[in-house]
Amino acid sequence: MNRPVPHDDYMPRPEHHFTFGLWTVGNVGRDPFGEPVRPALDPVRAVHQLAQLGAYGVNLHDDDLVPSGTAATERDRIVKQFKAALQASGMKVPMATTNLFSDPVFRDGAFTSNDARVRAYAIRKTMAAIDLGVELGAATYVMWGGREGVETNAGKDPRAALAWYREAVNFLCEYVRSQRYDLRFALEAKPNEPRGDMFLPTTGHMLAFIATLEHPEMVGVNPELAHEQMAGLDFSHGVAQALDAGKLFHIDLNGQKIGRFDQDLRFGSDDPKGAFFLVKLLEDARWPGMRHFDSHAYRTEDADGVWAFSAERARALQKEAFDLPALRARGYAYERLDQLTMELLLGVR
């Protein structure tokens, strides 16, 4: 007989370290075939609403808070209001990042653009965004190279592109050191979309790249579930490799169907067993970092539906201990273990 679980046991609390991006709850439902279906969300309102849902913090791209081209006085007013909302709600900004993909100037890449002037602008934009992130309290800075790639190999030498990428990360590490910021970088991989093929497409590629940097101790990874599954990989294995290397600086949780476009579905919505083993891995490792939800509501949802989506949460499930004394003589009972996992997820046990 199923035992009812008290509802409060499933309610997220700040100590669970659940975080959301302004771009997640603020997603307006635009896609390549349709215009927005929801109004833009004020960042201050997002902070207060997420705090009521039990979130620990909110993360942001620079342009999520301060639109590109905003005058200095207006920038200061926006940031002041946002900081006041953080203080009033108790919310934190653990991570910040830069939008280096929306502006048409980045259509051939940011750090890996063939145009040196674009590369310089991308670095300058990132420096300003780092300043903003640190001002808001961020300790982790994510780098996602959304346009770092090609549609045709005729357009770019990948060796030159990797050299430019390395030069940019090295420069930004030196900038952080010169400013005496307490900040680490987390590189985020993705195999494709929006580019046909993207450089450093998986977490493993990123880990190898980090070893070539001048300050590898400052740089780790930010694996994203959807991105790894787009490459046909088991997400928990990539996360385990990052943990083993001491390089799991941040993590993005969402959902994804293999072989599809980048869907950013609600975490656990399409692969509860995969979500279970990912959460189990993080809890068994006692990883202290943020559980960041990089997902958004379906395009079918209105504003109320966005907040229903945002009530998602993950909780650790206790593992069952197994005694395996006679390894040569006994089977491992993985079939039964997998069945037990599904029974636990479905509430049979």
Side-chain angles (χ1 to χ4, degrees), residues 18 45 57 93 101 120-121 129 146 243 251 275 277 313 328:
F18 293 158
R45 184 190 168 208
V93 176
F101 46 88
Y121 172 67
L243 283 167
I251 193 168
F277 282 114
R313 54 265 182 188
R328 290 185 176 180

Side-chain angles (χ1 to χ4, degrees), residues 26-280:
N27 184 280
V28 294
R30 179 188 292 110
D31 66 24
F33 299 95
E35 294 303 314
V37 296
R38 294 184 290 267
L41 179 64
D42 179 65
V44 169
R45 184 190 168 208
V47 167
H48 289 293
Q49 193 75 32
L50 288 170
Q52 292 177 18
L53 292 174
Y56 174 86
V58 61
N59 301 319
L60 67 152
H61 298 90
D62 50 348
D63 295 350
D64 296 337
L65 182 62
V66 183
S68 180
T70 299
T73 55
E74 178 64 8
R75 181 260 189 206
D76 291 344
R77 184 193 67 80
I78 292 171
V79 173
K80 182 179 180 180
Q81 286 186 341
F82 191 73
K83 290 169 74 172
L86 294 172
Q87 184 174 10
S89 64
M91 291 272 281
K92 309 295 183 183
V93 176
M95 179 272 278
T97 184
T98 319
N99 185 326
L100 296 177
F101 46 88
S102 293
D103 194 314
V105 73
F106 299 127
R107 59 186 171 181
D108 184 46
F111 298 153
T112 66
S113 172
N114 274 323
D115 191 328
R117 295 167 297 177
V118 173
R119 300 198 300 272
Y121 172 67
I123 291 175
R124 188 177 73 181
K125 188 175 193 292
T126 302
M127 291 166 62
I130 287 172
D131 294 340
L132 174 62
V134 171
E135 181 178 354
L136 296 174
T140 303
Y141 204 84
V142 165
M143 289 184 176
W144 176 55
R147 298 286 176 182
E148 315 296 8
V150 296
E151 282 67 51
T152 171
N153 286 334
K156 193 171 297 182
D157 183 341
R159 296 170 301 170
L162 289 175
W164 292 329
Y165 211 145
R166 183 180 301 108
E167 180 181 14
V169 178
N170 286 338
F171 183 92
L172 292 167
C173 283
E174 290 293 348
Y175 177 70
V176 167
R177 288 163 59 88
S178 70
Q179 297 299 109
R180 301 185 183 277
Y181 289 155
D182 184 14
L183 189 74
R184 302 190 301 178
F185 293 100
L187 306 183
E188 180 177 335
K190 189 179 182 183
N192 61 278
E193 197 191 20
R195 301 309 297 268
D197 288 289
M198 293 170 68
F199 301 126
L200 304 173
T202 70
T203 295
H205 286 83
M206 286 296 188
L207 289 172
F209 177 72
I210 289 168
T212 71
L213 299 174
E214 292 178 359
H215 297 287
E217 74 283 357
M218 296 178 62
V219 186
V221 293
N222 174 49
E224 178 175 318
L225 188 154
H227 294 179
E228 296 291 306
Q229 288 200 344
M230 287 175 72
L233 303 177
D234 184 291
F235 184 57
S236 62
H237 291 180
V239 174
Q241 184 181 7
L243 283 167
D244 182 67
K247 290 296 186 181
L248 186 63
F249 287 5
H250 197 260
I251 193 168
D252 281 355
L253 303 177
N254 47 28
Q256 176 72 26
K257 294 180 180 179
I258 293 178
R260 306 293 180 86
F261 59 91
D262 188 2
Q263 295 173 299
D264 284 342
L265 302 172
R266 189 178 68 255
F267 178 61
S269 62
D270 282 84
D271 184 11
K273 190 166 67 173
F276 167 81
F277 282 114
L278 186 278
V279 172
K280 180 179 183 297

Side-chain angles (χ1 to χ4, degrees), residues 313-324:
R313 54 265 182 188
R315 69 189 295 262
L317 301 174
Q318 292 183 349
K319 65 177 181 179
E320 185 173 350
F322 290 86
D323 182 17
L324 304 173

